[in-house]
Amino acid sequence: MKTSFKLAALTLALSAAFSTQAAEISTKGGFKVKSDDGRYTFAVGGRIQMDGTAFNSDDIDLNNGTEMRRARITLKANIEEWEYKLDYDYISSESVKDAFIAYNGFKNTIIQIGNQRQAFGMEANTSSNDVSFIERSLITDPFDQGRGFGIAAKQWGDNWSLNYGVYGQDVNAANGKDEELSFNGRFAYAPIKEKDRMVSFGFSALQTELEDGGSVRLRARPESHQANTRIVDSSSIATDSYTMFGLESMMQFGSLTLLGEYIKEDVDSVDGSDPSFDGYFVSASYLLDGGMRNYTTKGGKFKGYKPGANGAWELTARISSLDLNDADANVFGGKVDSITLGANYYINSNMLAKFNVVSANGDEFAKYDSTSVGARLQVVW
């Protein structure tokens, strides 16, 4: 309640301050105030994502039911060459997400200080609002670095983007130990960028140093968040550091979008076994209204699709594979392959309904096999 009150009070105070000299107020799904000279803006946004999932498994009982996947309030503002963002999740994690201050006084460059998404991977850096499936792929669950408190730079041109930074722990992480430290970078380049087609390739790299007595644990759900048991799990591995690299590709031919990503992690374990794990996904989506998904080279990611007055349907398909086995290192966390088929209905520019059927099949070291049917209704403002 205290957090809610403080956030509401801050919103009202800033809104009042900007409205005294505003030349433009927008309420198209959200609230935005812009000063007469355009050098000051303030916006209130957010998202609500409501899910329902039913499972079928011969090996284990999984949670059927509904959940409020995300419910966030976001404050964003520009103050001359500076900007800030504060994003808080009230439901799934009850925690601060983005909380940073940024400087954009240089051409095609933004420098951010604070809690922010780490610069690694294409899918991980695409908002949950804008991915084509209810959940991200198998590889994002274990390999996603999430957010960290750090300093990072974003640079871009007409057909490329570069994001790099140094990050400590997420601001919500427990204190009491030395922070882990990550050095990350991601580069994406689009050799073809035309009105009705685009091709982009990218590379990510990461080195993370852990505190003394640190460990890593890689695990994943079967692309359905409602599952209360992970389908594969490496268990904790004592380590001093680990490295990751990723390859990505994006191709668009009109209404057809093809995505692919591969990630590998090498663990520098304390016992010298040094296990390695990897995974990939390939996906396709097709908009039936003839539109084209909005990919921005500024961030190397997709932004929300805006349908016509009658909405738009999108058909989706994805295959994913995650291998948490390394026989040479005597680690058998399991391997799982997944197939997802789906359909999305863009109700309007702010509302979206998603429907997915997921079949996840594990090897002898996985916890179970499962099939799930899921649906989501989301609103973004």
Side-chain angles (χ1 to χ4, degrees), residues 29 80 100 115 127 176 196 221 246 252 292-293 307 352:
E80 297 180 346
F100 59 79
N115 212 55
S127 170
D196 59 352
R221 293 183 174 91
Q252 287 186 290
M292 185 173 178
R293 293 185 66 194
L352 171 62

Side-chain angles (χ1 to χ4, degrees), residues 10 31 87 94 124 141 145 170 212 215 239 253 272 288 293 296 332 344 361 370:
L10 178 61
F31 176 78
D87 188 11
E94 296 186 54
D141 215 357
Q145 297 302 290
D170 188 294
D212 291 339
S215 64
T239 181
F253 304 97
L288 299 183
R293 293 185 66 194
T296 170
F332 299 96
N344 302 326
N361 297 293
S370 72

Side-chain angles (χ1 to χ4, degrees), residues 246-265:
L247 300 173
E248 65 185 66
S249 178
M250 185 281 296
M251 300 181 185
Q252 287 186 290
F253 304 97
S255 298
L256 176 66
T257 298
L258 304 175
L259 303 177
E261 192 163 7
Y262 171 83
I263 297 177
K264 182 178 181 182
E265 179 170 337

Side-chain angles (χ1 to χ4, degrees), residues 280-321:
Y280 70 88
F281 80 86
V282 177
S283 71
S285 64
Y286 186 80
L287 286 159
L288 299 183
D289 70 340
M292 185 173 178
R293 293 185 66 194
N294 179 24
Y295 181 86
T296 170
T297 53
K298 178 178 179 180
K301 59 186 179 181
F302 288 94
K303 303 294 288 183
Y305 180 67
K306 298 187 182 300
N310 296 321
W313 281 95
E314 180 181 32
L315 302 180
T316 61
R318 176 175 66 196
I319 59 173
S320 305
S321 183

Side-chain angles (χ1 to χ4, degrees), residues 197-210:
R197 64 175 182 156
M198 181 179 291
V199 176
S200 176
F201 300 97
F203 174 81
S204 297
L206 169 151
Q207 171 73 33
T208 297
E209 301 293 330
L210 303 179

Side-chain angles (χ1 to χ4, degrees), residues 14-122:
L14 291 172
S15 299
F18 279 93
S19 62
T20 58
Q21 48 181 312
E24 180 181 334
I25 297 177
S26 173
T27 58
K28 294 181 179 179
F31 176 78
K32 184 175 182 179
V33 181
K34 184 177 180 180
S35 66
D36 53 0
D37 59 5
R39 290 170 60 81
Y40 300 86
T41 64
F42 174 74
V44 180
R47 75 190 71 175
I48 297 173
Q49 296 174 345
M50 301 180 291
D51 293 357
T53 309
F55 292 93
N56 179 54
S57 175
D58 296 331
D59 308 308
I60 191 174
D61 288 329
L62 296 168
N63 285 348
N64 299 321
T66 59
E67 66 172 329
M68 187 69 73
R69 184 68 174 88
R70 297 177 179 89
R72 298 186 189 174
I73 294 293
T74 304
L75 307 180
K76 295 194 296 183
N78 286 81
I79 306 171
E80 297 180 346
E81 287 80 23
W82 297 85
E83 59 184 81
Y84 70 79
K85 181 179 180 181
L86 175 60
D87 188 11
Y88 188 87
D89 192 324
Y90 284 84
I91 297 292
S92 63
S93 60
E94 296 186 54
S95 62
V96 172
K97 295 299 183 180
D98 291 325
F100 59 79
I101 297 172
Y103 179 74
N104 57 19
F106 303 116
K107 183 180 179 180
N108 292 354
T109 300
I110 297 176
I111 300 173
Q112 294 182 177
I113 301 175
N115 212 55
Q116 56 191 292
R117 268 280 177 188
Q118 296 193 40
F120 189 94
M122 171 177 57

